[in-house]
Amino acid sequence: MTDLLPDEVHRWNAVENIARKQFGLVGLKEIRTPLLEATELFSRSIGEASDVVGKEMYTFFDRADRSCTLRPEGTASVVRSALQHGLLSQGPQRLWYLGPMFRYERPQAGRQRQFHQLGVEYLGLASSRIDSEVISIAWDLLLSLGLKGLVLEINSLGKAEDRRNYRTCLIEWLQDNFEHLDSDSQKKININPLRILDTKNVDTQKMLKEAPLLINNLCNESLDRFEKVQELLKALEIPFKLNPRLVRGLDYYGHTAFEILSDQLGAQSTVCGGGRYDSLIEELGGADTPAMGFAIGLERLLLILGNSISNDISPDVYFVNKGYQAETNALVLSRKLRAQNISIELDSSGSAFAKQFKRADRSGAKWALVLGDDEVSRGEVFIKRLRNSHDDKSPKQYKISSSDIDQLINFLKDKIKN
Ligand code: HAM
């Protein structure tokens, strides 16, 4: 789990603002659910045989002896919340969320135990057009952030019946190759053989390249649906690659599954994952309701963005001040200027002017306000330019009467704008 220091948080905020704006354009509504849920919610939805539920959850008993889990993902919680509050009786829901998730995985670059997801869930919409719309929301958000080198991979996991048929032929193949499987996968053969397909064991992964493919077991209806999604993606001019081995690591998916990968992430290259989950709402006690969504991993997104997203958190003005009355006046004046949306870093050290000016330079502010006993006795504020502006010929320093606060506000607003 990592700390986000102030420079980083600023970059995160910039991404969040872009996401908020982009989701607003699509008319999505934000939802916030608790970090802690009943363990059963995840074991029922994500599946007992998945790595997430089997090995990665932070689960404990609370004081009333209830099994609780820090959420490892957002979809199950959003569905639980929509059911609990009857949102689905108000018609389809287009929701988004952002927040920390927890998985006890082996940490490495792009993989943390507390990480953040930016997710979208469409509840109550069945059409294949929705699949391509949801994919386009993820794709367009990543493009609007300026990302390049992205690859969209899609697959169809078909209907429950398709997966049942496939399960039989996969079990047969796995049993024939039993001795080559890692021990974890061997245990899953009769519990949930499909979960073996997303094993993290490299040797098993290699050998699974020969395994039968789900796509070859899909019924015509499922294949037609998948065909339609592809046509729509073409109409939207979103390039994609078919990946018949893409199964996703969570049990609730059927039909369209997709991932967006970046060529800049190394081993943890998936920046976004999602798909259709038409049976989850019913499994969690609701009516039969189709759904589709995705989640973007924010840590990975910020890794790819690197320095292309600004982390400038400099104040507009650094306030240098020294002397008993000067320090009081500076405090009062700072409050008035901040109320006018001018950001001020007020030096509260009482140290020598030279030291304060050094800090002013380091702060990144373009302007310094200066108040000392001399300025107080003359009823003035001294203003000094710290950085060169476009207009280099303008004076480097100014004096303004401290009683004319409006003049000072207008002067600073004008200078900051330029
Ligand atoms: P997921 O594929 O498990 O799907 O996670 C989505 C994304 O979260 C991944 O592609 C990755 O970027 C990020 N992520 C996952 N685990 C970690 C980690 N340990 N460290 C850093 N980033 C991570 C889901 O969670 C589904 N709920 C997505 C979804 C929404 N499907 C339908 N609706």
Side-chain angles (χ1 to χ4, degrees):
M1 298 186 188
T2 52
D3 294 313
L4 287 178
L5 300 178
D7 273 2
E8 273 294 287
V9 173
H10 191 71
R11 296 172 69 236
W12 280 63
N13 284 338
V15 171
E16 284 179 34
N17 290 339
I18 294 173
R20 231 167 248 285
K21 194 168 144 234
Q22 195 80 6
F23 291 163
L25 292 175
V26 190
L28 308 186
K29 305 229 167 74
E30 186 178 355
I31 184 164
R32 298 187 188 187
T33 63
L35 302 194
L36 206 59
E37 296 274 2
T39 303
E40 196 204 12
L41 173 69
F42 303 115
S43 42
R44 278 173 65 190
S45 54
I46 300 172
E48 299 275 6
S50 65
D51 278 355
V52 172
V53 172
K55 302 185 204 160
E56 297 170 358
M57 294 203 306
Y58 283 87
T59 297
F60 59 93
F61 288 95
D62 72 1
R63 286 169 194 275
D65 241 7
R66 291 169 297 200
S67 181
C68 302
T69 293
L70 281 172
R71 62 181 187 191
E73 58 111 44
T75 310
S77 304
V78 168
V79 169
R80 191 240 349 111
S81 176
L83 289 175
Q84 189 174 331
H85 301 285
L87 295 187
L88 294 167
S89 62
Q90 299 161 27
Q93 299 290 314
R94 297 171 166 86
L95 304 168
W96 75 274
Y97 54 90
L98 184 156
M101 310 289 161
F102 304 84
R103 295 184 193 176
Y104 193 84
E105 292 192 83
R106 198 168 49 78
Q108 59 184 85
R111 191 157 80 192
Q112 292 76 28
R113 289 182 172 168
Q114 175 177 316
F115 60 99
H116 296 74
Q117 285 186 344
L118 182 60
V120 166
E121 311 294 351
Y122 270 40
L123 310 180
L125 294 155
S127 149
S128 49
R129 267 193 300 282
I130 294 302
D131 300 33
S132 44
E133 180 180 335
V134 168
I135 294 175
S136 76
I137 295 171
W139 185 256
D140 291 345
L141 173 63
L142 297 175
L143 287 194
S144 71
L145 287 162
L147 295 191
K148 301 209 167 64
L150 296 176
V151 177
L152 165 65
E153 294 190 349
I154 59 168
N155 191 21
S156 172
L157 307 181
K159 296 179 181 183
E161 199 189 321
D162 301 333
R163 291 192 296 283
R164 266 197 301 277
N165 293 338
Y166 174 60
R167 188 189 148 106
T168 315
C169 83
L170 181 64
I171 290 181
E172 215 171 279
W173 186 89
L174 290 167
Q175 268 161 354
D176 288 346
N177 293 279
F178 190 81
E179 67 277 21
H180 304 301
L181 292 171
D182 60 279
S183 62
D184 196 38
S185 298
Q186 286 176 343
K187 283 187 213 130
K188 286 184 187 165
I189 285 198
N190 291 309
I191 310 168
N192 191 341
L194 263 78
R195 286 284 68 87
I196 298 176
L197 300 176
D198 49 72
T199 175
K200 290 183 182 121
N201 183 296
V202 185
D203 294 327
T204 308
Q205 274 174 3
K206 264 190 214 144
M207 137 198 189
L208 285 168
K209 291 204 169 115
E210 308 298 321
L213 294 171
L214 173 54
I215 196 94
N216 297 330
N217 285 266
L218 297 191
C219 66
N220 285 341
E221 208 184 316
S222 298
L223 284 173
D224 286 349
R225 192 180 192 288
F226 190 38
E227 198 56 47
K228 187 90 186 116
V229 173
Q230 295 175 51
E231 270 170 35
L232 290 161
L233 285 174
K234 284 180 194 152
L236 291 169
E237 296 179 13
I238 299 177
F240 60 87
K241 226 171 94 180
L242 296 178
N243 178 357
R245 289 178 206 287
L246 176 68
V247 284
R248 311 274 304 123
L250 316 163
D251 272 2
Y252 48 65
Y253 294 109
H255 290 299
T256 310
F258 74 100
E259 289 188 348
I260 302 177
L261 299 95
S262 162
D263 59 6
Q264 291 167 53
L265 275 175
Q268 302 306 314
S269 59
T270 313
V271 66
C272 172
R276 188 159 270 289
Y277 51 95
D278 289 346
S279 46
L280 180 61
I281 298 179
E282 195 176 13
E283 266 159 32
L284 292 179
D288 180 10
T289 313
M292 163 95 190
F294 68 80
I296 291 173
L298 276 175
E299 279 78 3
R300 294 188 193 172
L301 179 58
L302 277 129
L303 267 180
I304 323 174
L305 281 170
N307 291 329
S308 65
I309 200 100
S310 135
N311 66 349
D312 179 13
I313 46 173
S314 315
D316 296 325
V317 173
Y318 194 94
F319 209 144
V320 172
N321 60 112
K322 186 169 168 58
Y324 185 77
Q325 192 54 48
E327 286 170 40
T328 304
N329 290 5
L331 180 67
V332 172
L333 192 53
S334 294
R335 185 161 176 244
K336 288 185 180 157
L337 295 174
R338 286 170 183 149
Q340 298 295 320
N341 284 327
I342 298 168
S343 66
I344 310 269
E345 187 169 338
L346 176 64
D347 194 306
S348 351
S349 65
S351 48
F353 279 112
K355 277 197 176 161
Q356 292 198 35
F357 273 113
K358 268 198 189 131
R359 278 197 288 269
D361 274 331
R362 275 202 305 268
S363 76
K366 288 202 181 77
W367 293 89
L369 286 181
V370 186
L371 259 188
D373 289 337
D374 287 354
E375 283 77 19
V376 171
S377 64
R378 287 200 298 269
E380 283 172 355
V381 188
F382 183 66
I383 307 168
K384 185 168 185 274
R385 181 143 56 85
L386 298 171
R387 300 260 180 291
N388 284 342
S389 65
H390 301 304
D391 179 12
D392 262 347
K393 285 178 221 87
S394 64
K396 283 206 161 56
Q397 45 202 47
Y398 301 83
K399 279 178 189 156
I400 288 182
S401 157
S402 57
S403 57
D404 195 349
I405 181 91
D406 287 340
Q407 193 198 353
L408 181 61
I409 289 166
N410 291 336
F411 175 88
L412 287 174
K413 280 193 170 167
D414 183 54
K415 291 294 178 196
I416 291 162
K417 221 172 43 216
N418 298 318

